[in-house]
Amino acid sequence: MRSRYVLIALVFLLFSCSGKLSPILTGSSDLSRVLRKAQLTQMGFISIKARGRVSITSPNGKIVFDQLVTVVRPEFLRISVFAPLGEMLAKVVSDGESVRMKTSMEELIFENPENFRFSYLYPGLPHQLGVEDLVNFLLGGSPLAVDGESYSVREGEKDGEVIFMFSEGDLGRVVVDFRRNFITEVEGRLEDGEEFKISFSLLKRIAPDTYFPRKLLFETADYSLSVNYDDNLRVNSKTDISLFYTKEER
């Protein structure tokens, strides 16, 4: 799944209609542009630096912790996890070729990133989600590419929402808030057939007609991972790539 990542988010579009929309069949070029412009806009989300609160709920219970993240597409990632009193519990660093995980007890090096599982850091996260997938999620994206031609469209429950219902492949439902130029929900199936839902909310305006979510939510039937960024998150700020390498590699 490392080669499959999604470039999602949005650009401005005006819909000149009112009232409830009836389902619209495949083939509308205007509707296809809604998704295409969304994908092109998110291509501009290259990096993020942010502190946030993470909440994980699973059959084993609920855990909450703070984290500091720096990510750069496609596979540069640095996550530090902190206890409530500020003590660092773990750090994970990916330089695109290997992954290093350090805790108070040990340091592990994964020369092949595919051997690293983010369930080590986020207990319960599906094992097939790799570094690229997590980088994409932290940048407001989905592990499934939002594309395809077989869909119907209808208006959502909230004002300004348009819902795309896909009939083929693993992608199921995509919700676009076209007034804020953002895809707010993605539903589908992972490689092993497990159903998932991703939601993005608390959209923060970072540029004219461009928004970024402060709250990210990944859910399966019995698991949820919630990431709530602080308001001072920095998107596309200059990042020192040396942060992702050891001193010997710099």
Side-chain angles (χ1 to χ4, degrees), residues 103-119:
T103 68
S104 58
M105 300 177 60
E106 61 182 347
E107 183 171 9
L108 302 175
I109 299 177
F110 299 82
E111 297 295 346
N112 183 350
E114 293 185 354
N115 294 332
F116 178 76
R117 297 290 178 261
F118 275 98
S119 55

Side-chain angles (χ1 to χ4, degrees), residues 29 41 60 65 75 78 97 142 156 162 165 169 176 183 200 210:
S29 59
T41 299
N60 296 323
F65 54 86
E75 294 181 291
R78 186 184 182 97
E97 296 181 358
S142 162
V162 178
M165 303 295 296
V176 178
I183 293 177
F200 302 112
T210 305

Side-chain angles (χ1 to χ4, degrees), residues 84-241:
L85 296 180
E87 177 189 2
M88 190 172 74
L89 301 176
K91 181 167 64 176
V92 173
V93 181
S94 167
D95 61 11
E97 296 181 358
S98 64
V99 179
R100 304 184 302 279
M101 180 173 182
K102 184 177 182 179
T103 68
S104 58
M105 300 177 60
E106 61 182 347
E107 183 171 9
L108 302 175
I109 299 177
F110 299 82
E111 297 295 346
N112 183 350
E114 293 185 354
N115 294 332
F116 178 76
R117 297 290 178 261
F118 275 98
S119 55
Y120 303 156
L121 186 65
Y122 300 140
L125 192 70
H127 288 174
Q128 65 265 41
L129 297 181
V131 176
E132 249 182 44
D133 301 310
L134 187 60
V135 166
N136 188 62
F137 173 67
L138 294 173
L139 284 169
S142 162
L144 289 184
V146 180
D147 55 21
E149 298 180 355
S150 247
Y151 58 76
S152 60
V153 182
R154 63 188 69 237
E155 188 178 25
E157 296 179 359
K158 300 178 182 178
D159 289 342
E161 280 188 348
V162 178
I163 301 175
F164 292 77
M165 303 295 296
F166 290 80
S167 58
E168 296 179 356
D170 292 328
L171 190 64
R173 179 174 178 269
V174 174
V175 180
V176 178
D177 180 342
F178 66 81
R179 295 186 307 179
R180 293 181 176 84
N181 303 319
F182 210 90
I183 293 177
T184 55
E185 292 183 17
V186 178
E187 295 181 8
R189 292 187 302 271
L190 299 173
E191 286 183 337
D192 62 357
E194 185 175 19
E195 294 184 352
F196 77 92
K197 177 181 178 180
I198 289 179
S199 303
F200 302 112
S201 58
L202 301 180
L203 301 182
K204 176 183 175 68
R205 185 175 180 268
I206 61 172
D209 300 326
T210 305
Y211 291 78
F212 193 89
R214 284 182 49 220
K215 183 174 182 179
L216 321 176
L217 181 62
F218 177 94
E219 298 177 287
T220 61
D222 58 0
Y223 173 85
S224 71
L225 166 65
S226 173
V227 179
N228 291 267
Y229 290 134
D230 287 352
D231 188 54
N232 61 349
L233 77 170
R234 290 181 289 168
V235 181
N236 292 350
S237 62
K238 186 176 180 180
T239 303
D240 184 358
I241 298 299

Side-chain angles (χ1 to χ4, degrees), residues 22-42:
S22 300
I24 302 173
L25 299 179
T26 304
S28 169
S29 59
D30 288 339
L31 290 170
S32 66
R33 282 198 293 268
V34 174
L35 286 177
R36 182 56 183 161
K37 288 181 179 180
Q39 294 162 349
L40 290 174
T41 299
Q42 210 230 358

Side-chain angles (χ1 to χ4, degrees), residues 65-68 79-83 87-91 121:
F65 54 86
D66 292 327
Q67 71 175 18
L68 183 64
I79 301 178
S80 298
V81 174
F82 298 91
E87 177 189 2
M88 190 172 74
L89 301 176
K91 181 167 64 176
L121 186 65

